[in-house]
Amino acid sequence: MSNSSSITQFLLLPFTDTWELQLLHFWLFLGIYLAVLLGNGLIITTIDSDQHLHSPRHFFLLNLSLLDLGCISTIVPKSMANSLWDTRAIPYAGCAAQLFLFAFLLDVEYSLLTVMSYDRYVAICKHLHYGTLCDNLEALPPPMLSRTKTLLCLKCLFFVTLGGRDR
């Protein structure tokens, strides 16, 4: 008979032990969460519904809004539920899933911000080439269009990083 133990849940420290402050925490985070959902939902709806906003800049902004929704939706609802129901436990698998998903979405968001900044660099500093690179891609289907634009921006990024030598 071996002596073994396993971790099935983590105990989280509460912000406060006072019930009124836990309710304040819940309502404050609920307000912030709903504001983020509303703001990003409006951005997504506006870009998706207006044909004039189907440019690379707005395409990146749409994806950034989706990633922002994903980032905030991985941690905040569980925190609000813990405050409202006065629970301190989170299962080990749930904690690992939250951590992995949040780290993954944050990594993708930072990568997208890098590509967006390079897109603006090309649009401002290499504006004569920008139209040629991006206007020909509009005829592609949307999934292929997103991958092609991302790969194109990454290729341009590596091209500038290597000092103008295309390898």
Side-chain angles (χ1 to χ4, degrees):
M1 192 156 138
S2 66
N3 184 9
S4 66
S5 61
S6 63
I7 299 173
T8 59
Q9 64 184 6
F10 289 115
L11 293 178
L12 304 172
L13 292 175
F15 286 119
T16 181
D17 291 329
T18 310
W19 174 247
E20 290 81 16
L21 290 177
Q22 285 181 348
L23 281 177
L24 177 68
H25 168 258
F26 170 77
W27 288 110
L28 181 68
F29 276 153
L30 180 64
I32 292 170
Y33 185 64
L34 290 177
V36 169
L37 286 178
L38 180 66
N40 285 319
L42 286 174
I43 290 172
I44 292 167
T45 304
T46 304
I47 291 174
D48 193 43
S49 63
D50 191 358
Q51 192 66 22
H52 294 95
L53 298 178
H54 289 187
S55 66
R57 178 187 340 172
H58 296 100
F59 167 78
F60 289 134
L61 188 61
L62 174 84
N63 286 315
L64 190 65
S65 291
L66 288 171
L67 286 170
D68 192 30
L69 284 176
C71 279
I72 199 165
S73 295
T74 54
I75 295 179
V76 173
K78 180 65 176 168
S79 174
M80 289 181 351
N82 284 349
S83 272
L84 187 63
W85 293 323
D86 197 27
T87 59
R88 296 185 179 182
I90 183 171
Y92 177 75
C95 183
Q98 265 188 345
L99 182 64
F100 172 75
L101 191 59
F102 183 72
F104 174 74
L105 289 172
L106 207 58
D107 183 44
V108 173
E109 189 169 340
Y110 286 147
S111 300
L112 184 65
L113 284 170
T114 303
V115 171
M116 286 175 71
S117 66
Y118 186 71
D119 177 61
R120 291 295 87 204
Y121 166 76
V122 171
I124 294 169
C125 297
K126 309 245 187 226
H127 58 278
L128 294 176
H129 299 289
Y130 186 75
T132 332
L133 293 173
C134 293
D135 288 343
N136 296 332
L137 300 175
E138 299 299 328
L140 296 173
M144 181 162 263
L145 177 66
S146 66
R147 291 184 190 104
T148 306
K149 284 185 180 181
T150 304
L151 289 174
L152 178 66
C153 286
L154 288 175
K155 182 183 184 310
C156 293
L157 177 65
F158 291 129
F159 178 74
V160 169
T161 305
L162 294 174
R165 292 172 283 154
D166 193 9
R167 294 184 180 174

